[in-house]
Amino acid sequence: MKYIFIDSNQYRHIYSSSEGFSDEVYDLLLGLANKEHVCLLLPQQVKDEVERNRWRAWPETEEKDVTSKIESIEGEIKSFKDKYSEYKNSNKLLNDLEKKKKSLLSEKKKINKKFLNLKSKQNQKISNLFKKAKFIEETEEIIRLADVRFRKGNPPYGKPSKLGDALIWQSIIQYLKSFKGDKPVLILVANDKNAWGNDTFDPWLSREFKNITGGKVLYSKRLSDIPELTSEEQEKIRKEEETNLKENAISDFVNSRSFIGAGTNADKLLKLKGKFSVADYEKILRGSISNHEIYQSFFTPIPLKELVSGEGGYVVRELEGVSGELWRKFDEKFKTNLSRQSDINFDVPEEVNPEDIPF
């Protein structure tokens, strides 16, 4: 028998489509939970954490993040008006910034609704998954054993050290130990290296699980890597996660708020080179020439030049599709010394006169 446990913060991603808990992942999890040989586990501690965090901590964090982005764009708009209002087509770039600000203001208004309204799409997803899950109620024995674990300093450790992770783990092994003869397989999905392990599952916990339940733990830091999914399904979700990762990297870069941060964000973009479309490069170039923290940073020219470099002194193929004016402004600021093939005027030979042929 296989069991799936999803850590509390993974459910947080249901409220943000750009962070991995997409409709495809949700549908697949529901499908897996409907199968008789797969069971989604829901310890009481996880249920409590999700329900209290969605009322306050998660919406407050998201609102703070959106507010920060709005303030950053307002700074860009002011700087742009002061420095570039005289340039041709500056209104178009300014309008793009204004649209981005408007979009963020609209997003901010929707935050409370999606978190606090029980009928919101996101809360309905949480509700549906929890209904399909096996709820593990905390007993006095579970609480006692978790407290002993916590006091002795045994994993899962959590950061900061807290009793919650101990309650979660103790709930899981107390429930599954009754199935020891069936050697249960636990698929644990979490991205908390302090509690569960970094690249591999914590050896101490793995040994304990085997001793108590007779089974094993399959550790996954991403929902798309759940071993129960088919290769085709995993690839589909992985591509979507790559798209989300790319979009987040571009957003972080164009909204850079410091010289050092701009360099760090440019390096993150460089790691994703080869995945950007023409539209992506347009966003990157516009952000580069409009954000003071980017074009004045000592740390951005090198990674940005590598990002736009193709073969033989030319730019990457996607940059052939952006407007010539946008590319020239970028090239002037960052002095890439790269050419676009679409900008080169090749000499066309004059028509040959047959009488000039010497035979």
Side-chain angles (χ1 to χ4, degrees), residues 11 13-17 21-24 26-27 30 54 110-129 240:
Y11 287 106
H13 299 326
I14 282 181
Y15 297 88
S16 178
S17 60
F21 213 130
S22 63
D23 288 340
E24 285 80 2
Y26 166 73
D27 291 338
L30 278 185
R54 68 176 174 176
K110 297 176 182 177
I111 291 175
N112 282 340
K113 180 180 178 181
K114 71 179 180 180
F115 280 104
L116 304 183
N117 187 340
L118 289 175
K119 294 183 179 180
S120 71
K121 177 183 177 182
Q122 294 81 3
N123 280 329
Q124 286 298 303
K125 285 184 176 181
I126 291 283
S127 177
N128 291 336
L129 286 172
E240 182 170 336

Side-chain angles (χ1 to χ4, degrees), residues 188-248:
L188 192 148
V189 186
N191 193 13
D192 185 348
K193 64 181 180 181
N194 294 294
W196 310 110
N198 192 7
D199 295 327
T200 59
F201 192 59
D202 186 285
W204 201 99
L205 294 175
S206 182
R207 183 184 62 182
E208 181 186 27
F209 187 85
K210 182 177 181 180
N211 290 340
I212 294 177
T213 71
K216 63 179 180 179
V217 178
L218 302 178
Y219 185 41
S220 175
K221 294 181 5 179
R222 300 193 307 175
L223 287 161
S224 62
D225 288 331
I226 295 176
E228 184 64 27
L229 305 184
T230 67
S231 298
E232 183 179 349
E233 290 164 336
Q234 287 192 39
E235 183 61 24
K236 181 179 179 181
I237 299 171
R238 213 175 258 119
K239 285 182 178 180
E240 182 170 336
E241 287 182 341
E242 278 187 358
T243 299
N244 293 332
L245 182 66
K246 179 184 69 173
E247 291 175 352
N248 288 337

Side-chain angles (χ1 to χ4, degrees), residues 145-146 148-149 152 154-156 165-166 168-174 176-177 180 195-196 201-217:
L145 291 172
V148 171
R149 176 185 297 274
K152 291 181 69 174
N154 290 338
D165 291 318
I168 290 171
W169 182 247
Q170 202 66 54
S171 296
I172 292 173
I173 59 177
Q174 286 298 109
L176 292 181
K177 73 176 184 179
K180 186 171 183 177
W196 310 110
F201 192 59
D202 186 285
W204 201 99
L205 294 175
S206 182
R207 183 184 62 182
E208 181 186 27
F209 187 85
K210 182 177 181 180
N211 290 340
I212 294 177
T213 71
K216 63 179 180 179
V217 178

Side-chain angles (χ1 to χ4, degrees), residues 68-80:
S68 176
K69 290 179 179 179
I70 291 173
E71 291 174 350
S72 176
I73 289 178
E74 288 176 340
E76 289 184 43
I77 291 173
K78 183 179 183 304
S79 176
F80 189 89

Side-chain angles (χ1 to χ4, degrees), residues 12 44 98 108 124 126 202 217 236 270 301 317 352:
R12 160 70 179 86
Q44 183 175 334
E98 293 286 1
K108 186 175 181 180
Q124 286 298 303
I126 291 283
D202 186 285
V217 178
K236 181 179 179 181
L270 186 56
R317 181 178 44 125
V352 178

